[in-house]
Amino acid sequence: MDIACRIGGDEFLFIIPKVHDIHEIKIVLQRVIDTWSDPIAFRNTEILIAGSIGVAIFPDDANTAKELRQKADTAMYYAKENDLAIKFFT
């Protein structure tokens, strides 16, 4: 079961357990991006959402939850600065 939660402001955390390869992660994250790309109607206006995703993988990138979150954060800021939708830490 995948877990998604808001951790503050405009930051969200996704936990995707039992992943066999990076391709599986890309499929899940592409679904997130596709959902973002759907405009939202609000008071006769369409609102568009965009975001940047940073990915860290256990145990390849880190061994603790704190380290994983820091590495994912680093990857996310790289993605944001370079206009990427998704950036893997590795």
Side-chain angles (χ1 to χ4, degrees), residues 31-87:
R31 278 189 260 157
V32 171
I33 292 168
D34 291 346
T35 302
W36 287 344
S37 66
D38 292 338
I40 298 169
F42 181 74
R43 296 185 182 171
N44 300 321
T45 302
E46 280 193 345
I47 299 171
L48 299 175
I49 298 172
S52 301
I53 300 172
V55 180
I57 299 170
F58 172 84
D60 299 350
D61 298 325
N63 291 314
T64 68
K66 182 178 179 179
E67 288 177 315
L68 276 172
R69 192 164 159 202
Q70 288 171 337
K71 302 264 174 99
D73 213 37
T74 299
M76 185 266 307
Y77 281 108
Y78 181 91
K80 206 179 263 197
E81 290 171 7
N82 292 281
D83 254 350
L84 302 172
I86 301 171
K87 171 66 175 133

